[in-house]
């Protein structure tokens, strides 16, 4: 089994689309010169020390581990994972070429790369179980997820789009980035223990997402969306469970819900939805004279469905799992008490430079 690696594409996902369109992963590290001449981890450590002479020992050690992984440990046929900040989804592919320094690239943060054949670019985070999401939520830019059969589960996600979970693979001993390269002195670095540098904000969002999925499955998700729209000032009518003719929620402004904008919502809590559902929403909007549509696709959209919606931004909005979570956080203080009891949240402040 090939090794698995995670490489982020910027703190805010600024290189997401660039990486996907051009078949790259990596970037960042704009201060660092070409690493092609570095034949060992010690060589990379010297470059790091020269680049950040005033940095702490721990920071230099961490940067060295990540850059050495990019320079030499990530190899063709390895599985590459890129959490996408822009779409809140996950891209997976296969490394096709090792480290390359793009000296002619004008953007300094697009020079240190490996080449990747991106095979799945729209995996919903909801498809990944909580323990693996915790690992993928590391704050490091480059690391090797290996605990809890991470490599085998990521391979399954790449092929089938589902996470079998750790329990389903218990008793197996898959080769991982840490075990398969035991002779590599770099194997004992921070990049092989990403859980020690968790992104606390992302971990919290993933936990909230998991709780909502558990508490509001099926028609209950439409109940939650109705509460959110009501908190946003809409007068809503929720269709009862069962066949709904493509309309789960009818909403409008004003005391009777008859004022503009008039909105129809369709809510799907299961797996990815395809273009027929999008076409159905367009049809009922036309039939009922609705000005706006909301498609809640907890499991995300297939590519054909997403393509169908490209020219509908002024009429239709799509809420995937991350958007529902954002809406819950935005309206939380105005949601009914029973919903807040199902998803009990507490605001916590912390220093942004505390090293988490």
């Amino acid at each position: 089994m090939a090794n698995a690696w995670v490489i982020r594409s910027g703190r805010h996902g600024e290189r997401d689309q660039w990486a996907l369109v051009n078949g790259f992963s990596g970037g960042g590290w704009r201060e660092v010169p070409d690493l092609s001449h570095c034949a060992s981890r010690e060589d990379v450590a010297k470059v790091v020390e020269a680049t950040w002479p005033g940095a702490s020992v721990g920071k230099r050690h961490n940067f060295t581990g990540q850059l050495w992984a990019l320079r030499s440990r990530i190899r063709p046929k390895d599985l590459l994972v890129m959490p996408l900040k822009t779409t809140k989804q996950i891209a997976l592919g296969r490394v096709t070429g090792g480290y390359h320094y793009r000296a002619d690239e004008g953007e300094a943060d697009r020079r240190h790369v490996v080449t990747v054949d991106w095979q799945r670019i729209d995996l919903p985070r909801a498809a990944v179980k909580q323990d693996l999401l915790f690992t993928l939520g590391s704050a490091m830019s480059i690391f090797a997820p290996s605990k809890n059969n991470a490599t085998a589960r990521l391979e399954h996600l790449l092929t089938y789009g589902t996470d079998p979970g750790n329990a389903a693979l218990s008793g197996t001993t898959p080769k991982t980035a840490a075990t398969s390269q035991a002779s590599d002195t770099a194997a004992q670095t921070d990049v092989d223990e990403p859980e020690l540098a968790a992104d606390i904000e992302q971990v919290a969002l993933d936990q909230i997402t998991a709780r909502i999925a558990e508490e509001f499955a099926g028609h209950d998700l439409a109940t939650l969306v109705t509460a959110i729209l009501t908190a946003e000032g809409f007068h809503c009518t929720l269709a009862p469970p069962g066949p709904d003719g493509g309309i789960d929620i009818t909403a409008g402004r004003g005391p009777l819900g008859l004022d503009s904008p008039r909105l129809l919502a369709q809510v799907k809590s299961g797996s990815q939805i395809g273009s027929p559902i999008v076409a159905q929403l367009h049809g009922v909007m036309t039939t009922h004279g609705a000005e706006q549509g909301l498609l809640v696709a907890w499991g995300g959209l297939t590519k054909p469905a997403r393509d169908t919606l490209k020219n509908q931004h002024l009429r239709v909005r799509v809420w995937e799992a991350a958007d529902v979570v954002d809406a819950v956080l935005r309206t939380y203080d105005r949601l009914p008490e029973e919903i807040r009891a199902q998803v009990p949240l507490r605001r916590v402040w912390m220093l942004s430079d505390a090293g988490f």
Side-chain angles (χ1 to χ4, degrees):
M1 182 180 295
N3 301 316
W5 295 91
V6 176
I7 300 182
R8 300 194 179 282
S9 50
R11 182 181 296 274
H12 306 291
E14 54 268 25
R15 296 188 301 278
D16 281 0
Q17 291 306 307
W18 164 80
L20 294 176
V21 170
N22 294 282
F24 290 135
S25 188
W29 311 101
R30 57 171 55 244
E31 307 95 333
V32 178
D34 186 1
L35 298 174
S36 298
H37 69 282
C38 295
S40 66
R41 189 178 188 279
E42 289 69 28
D43 291 340
V44 173
K46 291 176 183 177
V47 173
V48 169
E49 185 172 4
T51 305
W52 293 282
S56 67
V57 172
K59 183 175 182 177
R60 294 202 305 270
H61 178 80
N62 181 278
F63 284 7
T64 297
Q66 294 186 65
L67 286 169
W68 175 238
L70 183 64
R71 166 63 186 90
S72 188
R73 296 183 65 192
I74 300 174
R75 300 166 182 170
K77 298 185 179 181
D78 283 352
L79 189 155
L80 206 294
V81 183
M82 182 169 66
L84 301 168
K85 287 283 189 178
T86 49
T87 65
K88 309 296 178 62
Q89 296 174 322
I90 298 172
L92 302 101
R94 195 71 66 185
V95 177
T96 57
Y99 174 79
H100 173 62
Y101 184 74
R102 305 173 67 239
D104 296 332
E105 171 60 58
E107 298 289 339
D109 63 349
R110 298 182 179 183
R111 294 175 181 167
H112 302 274
V113 302
V114 294
T115 55
V116 181
D117 173 22
W118 294 110
Q119 299 176 14
R120 188 182 290 273
I121 64 173
D122 57 356
L123 182 77
R125 295 183 69 87
V128 187
K129 297 188 185 299
Q130 191 67 37
D131 61 330
L132 185 53
L133 277 178
F134 179 77
T135 295
L136 298 182
S138 174
M140 287 189 293
S141 298
I142 302 171
F143 59 90
S146 57
K147 290 185 177 180
N148 298 322
N149 290 295
T151 300
R153 292 164 65 184
L154 289 168
E155 289 281 0
H156 199 277
L157 282 161
L158 175 63
T159 304
Y160 302 105
T162 59
D163 178 3
N166 184 41
L169 299 173
S170 60
T172 63
T173 55
K175 184 171 68 172
T176 66
T179 59
S180 67
Q181 299 180 32
S183 60
D184 187 345
T185 58
Q188 304 303 318
T189 68
D190 293 343
V191 300
D192 298 294
E193 295 184 326
E195 297 84 2
L196 299 180
D199 182 335
I200 301 301
E201 180 180 4
Q202 187 60 61
V203 169
L205 289 173
D206 288 337
Q207 290 176 339
I208 295 169
T209 303
R211 175 61 71 89
I212 292 175
E214 179 182 342
E215 294 288 338
F216 297 96
H219 189 262
D220 288 341
L221 183 59
T223 301
L224 175 62
V225 173
T226 300
I228 292 170
L229 292 175
T230 301
E232 296 279 31
F234 282 93
H235 186 286
C236 298
T237 300
L238 174 64
D244 52 32
I247 304 173
D248 289 301
I249 305 167
T250 304
R253 299 289 186 178
L256 299 179
L258 299 177
D259 297 342
S260 294
R262 291 176 291 274
L263 179 149
L264 295 181
Q266 194 164 22
V267 182
K268 301 295 181 182
S269 66
S271 57
Q272 284 185 318
I273 64 173
S275 50
I277 299 297
V278 176
Q280 183 185 43
L281 178 60
H282 285 157
V284 296
M285 288 174 61
T286 300
T287 301
H288 293 268
E291 299 156 288
Q292 297 178 353
L294 173 63
L295 180 57
V296 179
W298 182 264
L301 301 173
T302 63
K303 187 179 185 302
R306 203 174 297 279
D307 291 341
T308 302
L309 287 164
K310 278 184 178 178
N311 299 320
Q312 299 293 322
H313 294 304
L314 297 180
R315 295 194 66 208
V316 178
R317 283 288 182 269
V318 177
W319 282 2
E320 298 180 51
D323 302 299
V324 175
V325 173
D326 287 344
V328 167
L329 298 180
R330 183 174 65 246
T331 62
Y332 188 73
D333 293 338
R334 290 171 279 147
L335 294 178
E337 183 176 350
E338 58 269 24
I339 287 180
R340 286 186 279 124
Q342 288 176 275
V343 187
L345 303 179
R346 180 175 62 182
R347 191 187 302 273
V348 177
W349 295 96
M350 64 180 65
L351 292 173
S352 63
D353 62 351
F356 295 108

